[in-house]
Amino acid sequence: DVCSSDLEWTLFLRQFDVKVPWTVQLNGKTFTNLFLSEDDLVNAFAVPPGLLKETNTLTILPPKERDDIRIEDIRLEPKSFKELATCIVDLKANMPCRVTVVDNNGSLFPMRVEGDHIAVRPGVAYLGDSAAKFFLPPGDYTFFVGRGFEYGINKLFLHLEPDAREPLNLTLQREVSTPGMVACD
């Protein structure tokens, strides 16, 4: 029962072209903002216990600035993202790398990532120690693993059934020689 639920739910929505903060409300209560990104990405927002009613109203409030965005594929799941993300992809590479995960629409997809020296944003993880566990809901995903323009990209399609465990051992290879060059920010 939605009304008496003391459990966390997950609100999924696909967003495009968000340049400034947009507020997300459920039943008149603000609980998050859209992720600032112009990319096509899927968000997975935790809906706090007790916020849902028998009939619910989702409102996405515009900022004062002009910003044209698009929202699609809104759905509510009666579990937390942690409970939904039952598939594990255990990725190991031969060097630190960037991992991009997209769904079958090509949208950056949210994931839970565990490992040492990692940085994560929706659909992208940077692995400082070249290894991490990716937790995703069942579905179809494409993983892109690379390390900048000097190196090739590994592209892997995965179909994950519920509770799947998928080991990925990858080797990134240098493809562009840059001896004597230095790059910095």
Side-chain angles (χ1 to χ4, degrees):
D1 181 20
V2 174
C3 296
S4 63
S5 178
D6 291 333
L7 304 174
E8 181 180 293
W9 287 47
T10 303
L11 172 67
F12 287 94
L13 65 80
R14 185 176 174 196
Q15 69 172 57
F16 303 81
D17 207 25
V18 177
K19 297 179 202 75
V20 294
W22 288 68
T23 303
V24 179
Q25 292 183 342
L26 190 57
N27 299 321
K29 294 185 180 179
T30 298
F31 75 102
T32 193
N33 292 312
L34 295 180
F35 187 77
L36 291 177
S37 174
E38 294 181 48
D39 294 320
D40 171 1
L41 67 87
V42 174
N43 268 311
F45 297 118
V47 177
L51 191 56
L52 295 173
K53 301 177 182 178
E54 193 62 41
T55 302
N56 296 283
T57 303
L58 177 68
T59 308
I60 300 174
L61 298 172
K64 291 178 183 175
E65 300 91 345
R66 295 184 78 130
D67 191 17
D68 55 338
I69 67 169
R70 191 168 87 222
I71 303 292
E72 294 180 359
D73 304 330
I74 299 170
R75 76 179 194 278
L76 192 59
E77 295 287 340
K79 294 181 179 179
S80 69
F81 187 79
K82 186 175 183 177
E83 293 172 302
L84 294 168
T86 62
C87 304
I88 300 173
V89 176
D90 190 3
L91 190 143
K92 293 181 174 103
N94 62 324
M95 63 184 67
C97 57
R98 172 186 161 150
V99 180
T100 303
V101 178
V102 299
D103 65 9
N104 58 356
N105 289 320
S107 306
L108 294 171
F109 198 84
M111 61 213 163
R112 207 175 95 240
V113 184
E114 291 180 0
D116 294 326
H117 304 103
I118 59 173
V120 181
R121 60 182 167 90
V124 180
Y126 300 89
L127 310 184
D129 286 346
S130 68
K133 289 186 186 321
F134 291 76
F135 296 83
L136 292 155
D140 294 325
Y141 302 97
T142 303
F143 278 63
F144 297 91
V145 183
R147 186 188 160 86
F149 75 92
E150 291 179 61
Y151 294 83
I153 294 179
N154 287 296
K155 178 181 176 183
L156 305 136
F157 173 79
L158 295 176
H159 173 75
L160 300 175
E161 295 288 335
D163 301 315
R165 302 292 183 267
E166 189 75 39
L168 291 181
N169 293 305
L170 304 172
T171 300
L172 297 171
Q173 296 193 24
R174 180 170 281 181
E175 294 185 6
V176 177
S177 180
T178 58
M181 296 184 161
V182 175
C184 61
D185 289 336

